[in-house]
Short mmCIF file of all heavy atoms in Angstrom, two decimals:
data_model
loop_
_atom_site.label_atom_id
_atom_site.label_comp_id
_atom_site.label_asym_id
_atom_site.label_seq_id
_atom_site.Cartn_x
_atom_site.Cartn_y
_atom_site.Cartn_z
N MET O 3 -105.63 -135.28 166.63
CA MET O 3 -106.51 -134.12 166.57
C MET O 3 -106.22 -133.20 167.72
O MET O 3 -106.38 -131.97 167.55
CB MET O 3 -107.91 -134.53 166.58
CG MET O 3 -108.87 -133.46 166.08
SD MET O 3 -108.56 -133.14 164.38
CE MET O 3 -109.68 -131.80 164.17
N GLU O 4 -105.72 -133.72 168.78
CA GLU O 4 -105.40 -132.83 169.97
C GLU O 4 -104.21 -131.88 169.54
O GLU O 4 -104.31 -130.70 169.93
CB GLU O 4 -104.95 -133.76 171.08
CG GLU O 4 -104.54 -132.95 172.35
CD GLU O 4 -104.13 -133.91 173.47
OE1 GLU O 4 -104.53 -135.02 173.54
OE2 GLU O 4 -103.21 -133.40 174.20
N LYS O 5 -103.24 -132.38 168.88
CA LYS O 5 -102.07 -131.49 168.52
C LYS O 5 -102.59 -130.36 167.54
O LYS O 5 -102.09 -129.27 167.59
CB LYS O 5 -101.02 -132.22 167.91
CG LYS O 5 -100.27 -133.09 168.96
CD LYS O 5 -99.10 -133.92 168.29
CE LYS O 5 -98.49 -134.68 169.41
NZ LYS O 5 -97.45 -135.61 168.92
N PHE O 6 -103.49 -130.70 166.65
CA PHE O 6 -103.95 -129.75 165.69
C PHE O 6 -104.78 -128.69 166.47
O PHE O 6 -104.61 -127.53 166.09
CB PHE O 6 -104.99 -130.41 164.66
CG PHE O 6 -105.35 -129.52 163.56
CD1 PHE O 6 -104.38 -129.31 162.53
CD2 PHE O 6 -106.51 -128.94 163.44
CE1 PHE O 6 -104.76 -128.46 161.44
CE2 PHE O 6 -106.88 -128.09 162.43
CZ PHE O 6 -105.97 -127.91 161.44
N SER O 7 -105.49 -129.06 167.47
CA SER O 7 -106.16 -128.00 168.33
C SER O 7 -105.12 -127.13 169.04
O SER O 7 -105.41 -125.88 169.16
CB SER O 7 -107.08 -128.69 169.37
OG SER O 7 -108.13 -129.38 168.73
N LYS O 8 -104.03 -127.68 169.55
CA LYS O 8 -102.98 -126.90 170.11
C LYS O 8 -102.40 -125.91 169.13
O LYS O 8 -102.15 -124.71 169.42
CB LYS O 8 -101.96 -127.79 170.58
CG LYS O 8 -102.21 -128.50 171.90
CD LYS O 8 -100.91 -129.25 172.33
CE LYS O 8 -101.18 -130.07 173.67
NZ LYS O 8 -100.08 -130.83 173.99
N LEU O 9 -102.26 -126.36 167.90
CA LEU O 9 -101.71 -125.57 166.81
C LEU O 9 -102.63 -124.33 166.59
O LEU O 9 -102.13 -123.13 166.55
CB LEU O 9 -101.60 -126.32 165.50
CG LEU O 9 -100.94 -125.67 164.32
CD1 LEU O 9 -99.48 -125.83 164.39
CD2 LEU O 9 -101.46 -126.27 163.08
N LYS O 10 -103.99 -124.51 166.49
CA LYS O 10 -104.86 -123.47 166.36
C LYS O 10 -104.85 -122.47 167.50
O LYS O 10 -104.93 -121.21 167.34
CB LYS O 10 -106.36 -123.95 166.23
CG LYS O 10 -106.48 -124.66 164.85
CD LYS O 10 -107.94 -125.06 164.48
CE LYS O 10 -108.78 -125.66 165.59
NZ LYS O 10 -110.07 -126.02 165.10
N GLN O 11 -104.69 -123.00 168.75
CA GLN O 11 -104.65 -122.14 169.93
C GLN O 11 -103.42 -121.29 169.95
O GLN O 11 -103.43 -120.20 170.34
CB GLN O 11 -104.76 -122.97 171.21
CG GLN O 11 -105.98 -123.62 171.54
CD GLN O 11 -106.00 -124.52 172.69
OE1 GLN O 11 -104.89 -124.90 173.18
NE2 GLN O 11 -107.10 -124.99 173.09
N LEU O 12 -102.32 -121.88 169.47
CA LEU O 12 -101.03 -121.09 169.42
C LEU O 12 -101.17 -119.99 168.44
O LEU O 12 -100.75 -118.82 168.76
CB LEU O 12 -99.86 -122.09 169.11
CG LEU O 12 -98.51 -121.55 169.19
CD1 LEU O 12 -98.19 -120.98 170.54
CD2 LEU O 12 -97.51 -122.70 168.83
N ILE O 13 -101.69 -120.26 167.35
CA ILE O 13 -101.86 -119.11 166.36
C ILE O 13 -102.80 -118.09 166.84
O ILE O 13 -102.49 -116.88 166.73
CB ILE O 13 -102.45 -119.77 165.02
CG1 ILE O 13 -101.43 -120.66 164.34
CG2 ILE O 13 -102.83 -118.66 164.06
CD1 ILE O 13 -101.92 -121.41 163.14
N ALA O 14 -103.96 -118.52 167.50
CA ALA O 14 -104.77 -117.51 168.02
C ALA O 14 -104.12 -116.58 169.12
O ALA O 14 -104.28 -115.43 169.26
CB ALA O 14 -106.07 -118.12 168.61
N GLY O 15 -103.30 -117.33 169.97
CA GLY O 15 -102.62 -116.62 170.99
C GLY O 15 -101.55 -115.63 170.56
O GLY O 15 -101.20 -114.54 171.24
N VAL O 16 -100.99 -115.84 169.41
CA VAL O 16 -99.85 -114.97 168.91
C VAL O 16 -100.50 -113.80 168.08
O VAL O 16 -99.71 -112.88 167.68
CB VAL O 16 -98.80 -115.76 168.15
CG1 VAL O 16 -99.25 -116.13 166.86
CG2 VAL O 16 -97.52 -115.00 168.10
N GLU O 17 -101.65 -113.87 167.66
CA GLU O 17 -102.33 -112.84 166.83
C GLU O 17 -102.17 -111.44 167.32
O GLU O 17 -101.79 -110.56 166.59
CB GLU O 17 -103.76 -113.12 166.62
CG GLU O 17 -104.45 -112.33 165.56
CD GLU O 17 -105.86 -112.76 165.31
OE1 GLU O 17 -106.35 -113.69 165.83
OE2 GLU O 17 -106.37 -112.06 164.28
N ALA O 18 -102.32 -111.29 168.64
CA ALA O 18 -102.19 -109.92 169.26
C ALA O 18 -100.76 -109.36 169.09
O ALA O 18 -100.52 -108.22 168.74
CB ALA O 18 -102.64 -109.89 170.66
N ASP O 19 -99.72 -110.24 169.35
CA ASP O 19 -98.44 -109.84 169.26
C ASP O 19 -98.01 -109.52 167.80
O ASP O 19 -97.27 -108.64 167.50
CB ASP O 19 -97.48 -110.89 169.76
CG ASP O 19 -97.46 -110.92 171.33
OD1 ASP O 19 -97.61 -109.85 171.92
OD2 ASP O 19 -97.38 -111.97 171.97
N ALA O 20 -98.53 -110.35 166.87
CA ALA O 20 -98.30 -110.09 165.43
C ALA O 20 -98.82 -108.76 165.02
O ALA O 20 -98.14 -107.96 164.35
CB ALA O 20 -98.87 -111.23 164.62
N ASP O 21 -99.99 -108.44 165.56
CA ASP O 21 -100.58 -107.01 165.21
C ASP O 21 -99.73 -105.90 165.81
O ASP O 21 -99.44 -104.92 165.14
CB ASP O 21 -102.05 -106.98 165.79
CG ASP O 21 -102.66 -105.68 165.48
OD1 ASP O 21 -102.80 -105.24 164.34
OD2 ASP O 21 -103.11 -104.94 166.52
N LYS O 22 -99.23 -106.11 167.05
CA LYS O 22 -98.45 -105.12 167.70
C LYS O 22 -97.13 -104.87 166.90
O LYS O 22 -96.70 -103.78 166.80
CB LYS O 22 -98.08 -105.51 169.14
CG LYS O 22 -99.29 -105.36 170.10
CD LYS O 22 -98.89 -105.87 171.49
CE LYS O 22 -100.04 -105.92 172.44
NZ LYS O 22 -99.70 -106.56 173.68
N PHE O 23 -96.52 -106.04 166.43
CA PHE O 23 -95.30 -105.93 165.70
C PHE O 23 -95.37 -105.33 164.28
O PHE O 23 -94.69 -104.27 164.04
CB PHE O 23 -94.63 -107.37 165.60
CG PHE O 23 -93.42 -107.26 164.75
CD1 PHE O 23 -92.26 -106.70 165.28
CD2 PHE O 23 -93.38 -107.77 163.50
CE1 PHE O 23 -91.05 -106.65 164.54
CE2 PHE O 23 -92.20 -107.73 162.74
CZ PHE O 23 -91.07 -107.18 163.24
N TYR O 24 -96.42 -105.79 163.58
CA TYR O 24 -96.48 -105.25 162.26
C TYR O 24 -97.14 -103.88 162.13
O TYR O 24 -96.74 -103.18 161.24
CB TYR O 24 -97.37 -106.29 161.38
CG TYR O 24 -96.54 -107.50 161.04
CD1 TYR O 24 -96.76 -108.73 161.58
CD2 TYR O 24 -95.45 -107.40 160.14
CE1 TYR O 24 -96.09 -109.83 161.25
CE2 TYR O 24 -94.68 -108.55 159.76
CZ TYR O 24 -95.00 -109.73 160.32
OH TYR O 24 -94.29 -110.87 160.00
N ASN O 25 -98.08 -103.59 163.01
CA ASN O 25 -98.73 -102.29 162.85
C ASN O 25 -98.24 -101.23 163.85
O ASN O 25 -98.41 -100.03 163.51
CB ASN O 25 -100.28 -102.52 163.16
CG ASN O 25 -100.92 -103.39 162.12
OD1 ASN O 25 -100.54 -103.34 160.92
ND2 ASN O 25 -101.88 -104.25 162.49
N SER O 26 -97.53 -101.65 164.91
CA SER O 26 -97.08 -100.62 165.77
C SER O 26 -95.56 -100.58 165.95
O SER O 26 -94.96 -99.74 166.58
CB SER O 26 -97.67 -100.91 167.22
OG SER O 26 -99.03 -100.84 167.24
N GLY O 27 -94.90 -101.58 165.32
CA GLY O 27 -93.44 -101.64 165.34
C GLY O 27 -92.84 -101.99 166.69
O GLY O 27 -91.65 -101.69 166.99
N ASN O 28 -93.68 -102.74 167.51
CA ASN O 28 -93.24 -103.19 168.80
C ASN O 28 -92.25 -104.40 168.67
O ASN O 28 -92.54 -105.39 168.28
CB ASN O 28 -94.41 -103.61 169.62
CG ASN O 28 -94.14 -104.00 171.11
OD1 ASN O 28 -93.08 -104.58 171.35
ND2 ASN O 28 -95.08 -103.60 171.97
N GLY O 29 -90.87 -104.08 168.97
CA GLY O 29 -89.93 -105.10 168.84
C GLY O 29 -90.03 -106.28 169.75
O GLY O 29 -89.78 -107.38 169.37
N ALA O 30 -90.53 -106.01 170.99
CA ALA O 30 -90.61 -107.12 171.95
C ALA O 30 -91.72 -108.11 171.44
O ALA O 30 -91.58 -109.32 171.56
CB ALA O 30 -90.90 -106.59 173.31
N ALA O 31 -92.78 -107.46 170.80
CA ALA O 31 -93.84 -108.37 170.34
C ALA O 31 -93.28 -109.16 169.14
O ALA O 31 -93.66 -110.37 168.99
CB ALA O 31 -94.97 -107.49 169.84
N GLY O 32 -92.35 -108.59 168.35
CA GLY O 32 -91.75 -109.37 167.27
C GLY O 32 -91.00 -110.62 167.78
O GLY O 32 -90.96 -111.66 167.28
N THR O 33 -90.25 -110.42 168.90
CA THR O 33 -89.54 -111.50 169.55
C THR O 33 -90.52 -112.63 170.00
O THR O 33 -90.27 -113.82 169.77
CB THR O 33 -88.75 -110.97 170.76
OG1 THR O 33 -87.86 -110.00 170.36
CG2 THR O 33 -87.97 -112.18 171.46
N ARG O 34 -91.60 -112.27 170.56
CA ARG O 34 -92.60 -113.27 170.89
C ARG O 34 -93.23 -113.98 169.68
O ARG O 34 -93.46 -115.14 169.80
CB ARG O 34 -93.74 -112.60 171.78
CG ARG O 34 -93.31 -112.07 173.14
CD ARG O 34 -94.41 -111.58 173.99
NE ARG O 34 -95.11 -110.50 173.51
CZ ARG O 34 -94.82 -109.21 173.73
NH1 ARG O 34 -93.73 -109.00 174.54
NH2 ARG O 34 -95.48 -108.18 173.25
N VAL O 35 -93.37 -113.27 168.68
CA VAL O 35 -93.90 -113.82 167.38
C VAL O 35 -92.89 -114.81 166.88
O VAL O 35 -93.28 -115.96 166.43
CB VAL O 35 -94.21 -112.81 166.33
CG1 VAL O 35 -94.54 -113.43 164.91
CG2 VAL O 35 -95.37 -111.86 166.67
N ARG O 36 -91.66 -114.49 166.91
CA ARG O 36 -90.66 -115.41 166.40
C ARG O 36 -90.52 -116.71 167.25
O ARG O 36 -90.49 -117.77 166.67
CB ARG O 36 -89.25 -114.77 166.42
CG ARG O 36 -89.07 -113.69 165.39
CD ARG O 36 -87.73 -112.99 165.52
NE ARG O 36 -86.61 -113.81 165.84
CZ ARG O 36 -85.79 -114.37 165.02
NH1 ARG O 36 -85.90 -114.36 163.76
NH2 ARG O 36 -84.77 -115.11 165.56
N LYS O 37 -90.68 -116.52 168.60
CA LYS O 37 -90.68 -117.72 169.47
C LYS O 37 -91.90 -118.59 169.11
O LYS O 37 -91.82 -119.82 169.05
CB LYS O 37 -90.70 -117.36 170.91
CG LYS O 37 -90.65 -118.55 171.82
CD LYS O 37 -90.90 -118.18 173.26
CE LYS O 37 -90.85 -119.44 174.18
NZ LYS O 37 -91.55 -120.57 173.76
N ALA O 38 -93.10 -117.97 168.97
CA ALA O 38 -94.34 -118.71 168.69
C ALA O 38 -94.19 -119.46 167.28
O ALA O 38 -94.65 -120.59 167.23
CB ALA O 38 -95.51 -117.83 168.65
N MET O 39 -93.53 -118.80 166.35
CA MET O 39 -93.34 -119.40 165.06
C MET O 39 -92.43 -120.71 165.13
O MET O 39 -92.71 -121.65 164.50
CB MET O 39 -92.80 -118.45 164.06
CG MET O 39 -93.77 -117.36 163.66
SD MET O 39 -95.29 -117.90 162.85
CE MET O 39 -96.41 -117.60 164.20
N GLN O 40 -91.48 -120.63 166.05
CA GLN O 40 -90.58 -121.73 166.26
C GLN O 40 -91.31 -122.86 166.95
O GLN O 40 -91.16 -124.04 166.50
CB GLN O 40 -89.35 -121.31 167.17
CG GLN O 40 -88.30 -122.45 167.18
CD GLN O 40 -87.65 -122.63 165.87
OE1 GLN O 40 -87.47 -121.76 164.97
NE2 GLN O 40 -87.30 -123.89 165.60
N ASP O 41 -92.24 -122.55 167.89
CA ASP O 41 -93.06 -123.56 168.53
C ASP O 41 -94.04 -124.16 167.47
O ASP O 41 -94.24 -125.34 167.49
CB ASP O 41 -93.87 -122.98 169.65
CG ASP O 41 -92.95 -122.53 170.84
OD1 ASP O 41 -91.78 -122.93 170.83
OD2 ASP O 41 -93.42 -121.70 171.64
N LEU O 42 -94.55 -123.32 166.61
CA LEU O 42 -95.43 -123.85 165.62
C LEU O 42 -94.69 -124.81 164.66
O LEU O 42 -95.27 -125.84 164.24
CB LEU O 42 -96.03 -122.63 164.74
CG LEU O 42 -97.21 -121.88 165.32
CD1 LEU O 42 -97.44 -120.60 164.59
CD2 LEU O 42 -98.39 -122.74 165.25
N LYS O 43 -93.50 -124.46 164.31
CA LYS O 43 -92.77 -125.25 163.43
C LYS O 43 -92.57 -126.67 164.05
O LYS O 43 -92.76 -127.69 163.38
CB LYS O 43 -91.35 -124.71 163.17
CG LYS O 43 -90.46 -125.45 162.31
CD LYS O 43 -89.11 -124.79 162.22
CE LYS O 43 -88.18 -125.66 161.40
NZ LYS O 43 -86.82 -125.04 161.33
N GLY O 44 -92.23 -126.81 165.33
CA GLY O 44 -92.05 -128.06 166.04
C GLY O 44 -93.34 -128.84 165.99
O GLY O 44 -93.43 -130.00 165.86
N LEU O 45 -94.40 -128.15 166.45
CA LEU O 45 -95.76 -128.82 166.49
C LEU O 45 -96.16 -129.26 165.12
O LEU O 45 -96.76 -130.34 165.04
CB LEU O 45 -96.75 -127.79 167.15
CG LEU O 45 -98.09 -128.36 167.59
CD1 LEU O 45 -97.91 -129.60 168.49
CD2 LEU O 45 -98.90 -127.24 168.29
N ALA O 46 -96.02 -128.51 164.08
CA ALA O 46 -96.34 -128.88 162.76
C ALA O 46 -95.59 -130.15 162.38
O ALA O 46 -96.14 -131.05 161.75
CB ALA O 46 -96.10 -127.73 161.74
N GLN O 47 -94.35 -130.18 162.77
CA GLN O 47 -93.55 -131.37 162.39
C GLN O 47 -94.03 -132.65 163.11
O GLN O 47 -94.08 -133.71 162.61
CB GLN O 47 -92.05 -131.13 162.77
CG GLN O 47 -91.09 -132.28 162.34
CD GLN O 47 -91.11 -132.42 160.83
OE1 GLN O 47 -91.18 -131.48 160.07
NE2 GLN O 47 -91.02 -133.65 160.43
N GLU O 48 -94.46 -132.48 164.37
CA GLU O 48 -94.98 -133.61 165.09
C GLU O 48 -96.31 -134.09 164.42
O GLU O 48 -96.59 -135.29 164.33
CB GLU O 48 -95.32 -133.14 166.61
CG GLU O 48 -94.08 -132.98 167.44
CD GLU O 48 -94.47 -132.44 168.83
OE1 GLU O 48 -95.58 -132.68 169.31
OE2 GLU O 48 -93.55 -131.91 169.40
N ILE O 49 -97.18 -133.08 164.08
CA ILE O 49 -98.41 -133.45 163.37
C ILE O 49 -98.14 -134.23 162.12
O ILE O 49 -98.74 -135.21 161.77
CB ILE O 49 -99.27 -132.27 163.16
CG1 ILE O 49 -99.75 -131.69 164.55
CG2 ILE O 49 -100.46 -132.57 162.31
CD1 ILE O 49 -100.43 -130.29 164.46
N ARG O 50 -97.20 -133.68 161.39
CA ARG O 50 -96.80 -134.28 160.06
C ARG O 50 -96.31 -135.78 160.29
O ARG O 50 -96.73 -136.63 159.60
CB ARG O 50 -95.67 -133.52 159.42
CG ARG O 50 -95.33 -133.84 158.08
CD ARG O 50 -94.28 -132.89 157.48
NE ARG O 50 -93.95 -133.23 156.11
CZ ARG O 50 -93.04 -133.97 155.82
NH1 ARG O 50 -92.24 -134.53 156.71
NH2 ARG O 50 -92.74 -134.28 154.51
N ALA O 51 -95.48 -136.00 161.25
CA ALA O 51 -95.02 -137.40 161.52
C ALA O 51 -96.16 -138.24 161.95
O ALA O 51 -96.25 -139.45 161.54
CB ALA O 51 -93.97 -137.34 162.62
N GLU O 52 -97.05 -137.74 162.80
CA GLU O 52 -98.24 -138.53 163.30
C GLU O 52 -99.16 -138.90 162.05
O GLU O 52 -99.62 -140.05 161.99
CB GLU O 52 -99.06 -137.60 164.21
CG GLU O 52 -100.10 -138.39 165.00
CD GLU O 52 -100.70 -137.46 166.07
OE1 GLU O 52 -100.17 -137.27 167.16
OE2 GLU O 52 -101.74 -136.73 165.68
N VAL O 53 -99.36 -137.92 161.20
CA VAL O 53 -100.25 -138.19 159.99
C VAL O 53 -99.58 -139.26 159.14
O VAL O 53 -100.18 -140.23 158.62
CB VAL O 53 -100.50 -136.90 159.18
CG1 VAL O 53 -101.14 -137.19 157.85
CG2 VAL O 53 -101.40 -135.99 160.00
N THR O 54 -98.22 -139.17 158.89
CA THR O 54 -97.54 -140.15 158.04
C THR O 54 -97.64 -141.48 158.66
O THR O 54 -97.79 -142.52 157.98
CB THR O 54 -96.05 -139.64 157.89
OG1 THR O 54 -96.07 -138.37 157.27
CG2 THR O 54 -95.32 -140.65 157.05
N GLU O 55 -97.39 -141.57 160.01
CA GLU O 55 -97.47 -142.88 160.63
C GLU O 55 -98.86 -143.49 160.50
O GLU O 55 -99.00 -144.68 160.28
CB GLU O 55 -97.15 -142.67 162.07
CG GLU O 55 -97.12 -143.95 162.99
CD GLU O 55 -96.81 -143.58 164.46
OE1 GLU O 55 -95.92 -142.80 164.77
OE2 GLU O 55 -97.47 -144.26 165.29
N LYS O 56 -99.88 -142.77 160.78
CA LYS O 56 -101.22 -143.21 160.63
C LYS O 56 -101.62 -143.70 159.22
O LYS O 56 -102.21 -144.67 159.09
CB LYS O 56 -102.21 -142.19 161.22
CG LYS O 56 -103.58 -142.63 161.33
CD LYS O 56 -104.44 -141.70 162.17
CE LYS O 56 -105.75 -142.33 162.52
NZ LYS O 56 -106.35 -141.77 163.74
N LYS O 57 -101.10 -142.92 158.32
CA LYS O 57 -101.41 -143.19 156.87
C LYS O 57 -100.73 -144.54 156.52
O LYS O 57 -101.27 -145.36 155.82
CB LYS O 57 -100.92 -142.08 155.99
CG LYS O 57 -101.20 -142.32 154.51
CD LYS O 57 -100.56 -141.17 153.72
CE LYS O 57 -99.16 -141.57 153.43
NZ LYS O 57 -98.44 -140.92 152.40
N ASN O 58 -99.48 -144.76 156.94
CA ASN O 58 -98.73 -145.93 156.59
C ASN O 58 -99.13 -147.16 157.28
O ASN O 58 -98.87 -148.23 156.90
CB ASN O 58 -97.23 -145.66 156.74
CG ASN O 58 -96.73 -144.72 155.73
OD1 ASN O 58 -97.28 -144.47 154.67
ND2 ASN O 58 -95.56 -144.07 156.10
N ALA O 59 -99.85 -146.97 158.47
CA ALA O 59 -100.37 -148.12 159.19
C ALA O 59 -101.52 -148.73 158.59
O ALA O 59 -101.82 -149.97 158.89
CB ALA O 59 -100.73 -147.65 160.60
N LYS O 60 -102.12 -148.15 157.58
CA LYS O 60 -103.36 -148.77 156.97
C LYS O 60 -102.95 -149.74 155.82
O LYS O 60 -102.08 -149.75 155.20
CB LYS O 60 -104.18 -147.70 156.36
CG LYS O 60 -104.91 -146.94 157.47
CD LYS O 60 -105.96 -145.99 156.86
CE LYS O 60 -106.64 -145.30 158.08
NZ LYS O 60 -107.65 -144.46 157.71
#
């Protein structure tokens, strides 16, 4: 559950940059959004593996 909380925090943290990129055309904000999405991908994969492991342990 700790990793899921990190996932939510990461999404909340990138929201301002996503707004700057999509609504204002700020290219640097777009770069930050892309990096955050890559971090999200890795974290989501970790959560997925953890869920699978826990499910199969039963």
Side-chain angles (χ1 to χ4, degrees):
M3 197 65 188
E4 180 184 328
K5 288 181 183 179
F6 191 77
S7 294
K8 284 183 182 180
L9 185 85
K10 291 191 310 186
Q11 289 175 351
L12 188 56
I13 291 171
V16 75
E17 187 174 2
D19 284 327
D21 180 58
K22 287 177 187 175
F23 176 71
Y24 285 110
N25 296 324
S26 302
N28 184 323
T33 300
R34 291 188 295 271
V35 170
R36 286 174 40 90
K37 182 191 180 312
M39 292 299 107
Q40 190 65 35
D41 294 343
L42 277 169
K43 179 182 174 185
L45 191 54
Q47 186 62 37
E48 289 176 23
I49 292 170
R50 188 173 182 271
E52 190 177 275
V53 168
T54 300
E55 180 183 320
K56 191 167 187 152
K57 183 186 83 162
N58 290 337
K60 290 186 177 185

